[in-house]
Amino acid sequence: HADLAMYRAKEVGRNNFQFYTPAMNAQVSERLRIESALRNALERDEFVLHYQPQVDLRTGRVVGMEALIRWRHPELGMVSPNRFISLAEETGLIIPIGAWVLRTACLQNKKWQRAGLGHFRIAVNLSARQFAQQDLTQSIADVLEETGLAPHYLDIELTESLIMTDVEHAVEILRSLKALGLQLSIDDFGTGYSSLSYLKRFPIDVLKIDRSFVHDITLDPDDAAIVVSIIALAHNLKLHVIAEGVETQEQFAYLKRHGCDELQGFYFSKPVPAEEFERLLREHKCLALEPEPA
Ligand code: C2E
Ligand code: MG
Ligand code: MG
Ligand code: MG
């Protein structure tokens, strides 16, 4: 424990001295507890995917969904990915977990298509470790083959930092992924570092505007300017654009007025378990979205 404490203190302190406090001690043991539990979570079948609809702004129809992982921990309850994804990333556990997510998401989507509920895209988040995997393209090809999902229904979400670390290498990987016939999106767009000149070299299809810009879109002229610029940038580059974190009718109307293609957010629906998502599709709630007259 002492070693870990030192390590942790170093990690936190970097160039300055840092006193080691009981609060930090608690943090370390919480981390250790989560890490060891994380190791067993897959075998114990504790992960679950929730699905959040992506809605076409012109028609109000659901056209896609994003698969988002949750951890049903026996004691901690439903644990948000923000609390364990980076740990899974550090420990390498993200590889088997990510493979489970991809397979489960593709299977579920195919099942809904088979049940006649419609044809939807399904987006899956990819982490840095997965992106660095030697056999990434092959493993995705295998899952598509095994689940029978047509490649154009799969959307892989990547972040700017993930592809900007080694641009040459990233371009190569993205090309091989595109060759499978799937769709590529940049998640949380605008929050990371990305050079516009590189943007055109990446074979991507979609920009997802980060929800931090959407939040005050109707209140803060700067945020509004950023969002409108991202929409224009995307369209000029022949890319599709999705706004994340849309919570209000005002945000929805604003985005529609400015030609944004799709929205994802609590305004339409939170991420929900598979059964609930299926109900949402069956009840055609998805078609009820109509802007109020301005
Ligand atoms: P993300 O990929 O940007 O996913 C969108 C997040 O925004 C989700 O949080 C979603 O619940 C939340 N969100 C959607 N609409 C709204 C809204 O209107 N308002 C607000 N306040 N939030 C909204 P969630 O599910 O907690 O996931 C957090 C992050 O965890 C994800 O951000 C993604 O980076 C990561 N993540 C989730 N599932 C996976 C996974 O299977 N693999 C990997 N590598 N990362 C994942
Ligand atoms: Mg995402
Ligand atoms: Mg995002
Ligand atoms: Mg994110």
Side-chain angles (χ1 to χ4, degrees):
H1 230 115
D3 282 357
L4 238 173
M6 287 249 309
Y7 169 75
R8 180 72 188 179
K10 243 201 300 201
E11 198 181 37
V12 172
R14 292 276 159 191
N15 297 319
N16 48 317
F17 287 101
Q18 172 111 22
F19 287 104
Y20 193 70
T21 65
M24 287 168 69
N25 205 347
Q27 237 177 37
V28 171
S29 69
E30 149 101 359
R31 201 182 129 102
L32 282 173
R33 253 182 55 207
I34 293 193
E35 182 180 328
S36 77
L38 204 52
R39 290 191 187 282
N40 304 311
L42 265 180
E43 290 133 65
R44 294 182 187 157
D45 207 19
E46 291 174 354
F47 292 115
V48 60
L49 292 185
H50 282 188
Y51 301 88
Q52 186 176 35
Q54 297 174 327
V55 178
D56 185 307
L57 271 162
R58 275 166 300 262
T59 63
R61 281 173 176 268
V62 172
V63 287
M65 65 195 74
E66 179 172 4
L68 295 153
I69 195 171
R70 274 92 182 90
W71 182 10
R72 241 176 349 206
H73 190 280
E75 287 133 45
L76 299 173
M78 205 59 108
V79 183
S80 135
N82 291 324
R83 282 180 66 197
F84 67 87
I85 287 291
S86 60
L87 195 57
E89 177 81 23
E90 284 169 41
T91 54
L93 290 165
I94 194 69
I95 299 294
I97 294 172
W100 177 86
V101 169
L102 182 69
R103 191 170 175 281
T104 307
C106 290
L107 263 179
Q108 182 63 73
N109 187 283
K110 182 70 190 179
K111 211 171 123 191
W112 283 328
Q113 295 200 28
R114 281 216 178 97
L117 289 166
H119 298 283
F120 311 100
R121 246 181 13 237
I122 184 149
V124 173
N125 294 283
L126 205 73
S127 80
R129 278 269 188 129
Q130 287 174 283
F131 194 67
Q133 238 182 317
Q134 284 299 324
D135 60 346
L136 174 69
T137 306
Q138 189 55 50
S139 65
I140 294 177
D142 290 346
V143 171
L144 290 170
E145 168 90 35
E146 185 204 342
T147 59
L149 186 72
H152 61 274
Y153 292 120
L154 180 62
D155 179 335
I156 298 290
E157 293 192 5
L158 310 136
T159 58
E160 290 165 279
S161 55
L162 198 149
I163 51 181
M164 291 303 298
T165 317
D166 179 351
V167 171
E168 296 308 318
H169 188 53
V171 168
E172 211 175 290
I173 298 171
L174 295 181
R175 283 203 186 123
S176 80
L177 289 175
K178 270 313 285 178
L180 293 179
L182 43 77
Q183 182 168 297
L184 297 176
S185 300
I186 298 193
D187 202 357
D188 308 335
F189 186 76
T191 59
Y193 162 78
S194 71
S195 155
L196 298 182
S197 67
Y198 287 133
L199 202 54
K200 71 169 187 188
R201 291 190 47 206
F202 292 126
I204 51 163
D205 306 283
V206 179
L207 297 184
K208 294 188 77 177
I209 306 173
D210 189 71
R211 66 181 151 91
S212 60
F213 302 117
V214 174
H215 192 262
D216 290 332
I217 198 179
T218 55
L219 307 171
D220 183 339
D222 292 339
D223 284 337
I226 290 172
V227 168
V228 170
S229 303
I230 296 176
I231 295 170
L233 174 69
H235 288 163
N236 287 333
L237 291 172
K238 309 266 185 295
L239 305 176
H240 211 69
V241 61
I242 304 183
E244 292 193 276
V246 179
E247 296 182 351
T248 69
Q249 204 275 328
E250 288 76 20
Q251 292 164 348
F252 161 72
Y254 189 94
L255 289 160
K256 188 178 160 91
R257 202 159 61 238
H258 287 86
C260 186
D261 300 303
E262 288 175 37
L263 72 79
Q264 186 181 333
F266 297 170
Y267 176 61
F268 189 77
S269 170
K270 287 189 175 167
V272 293
E275 316 78 62
E276 211 170 309
F277 194 87
E278 189 169 325
R279 211 175 314 133
L280 186 139
L281 292 176
R282 282 193 195 282
E283 289 169 5
H284 291 279
K285 269 204 196 120
C286 46
L287 304 179
L289 190 83
E290 270 302 317
E292 265 146 41

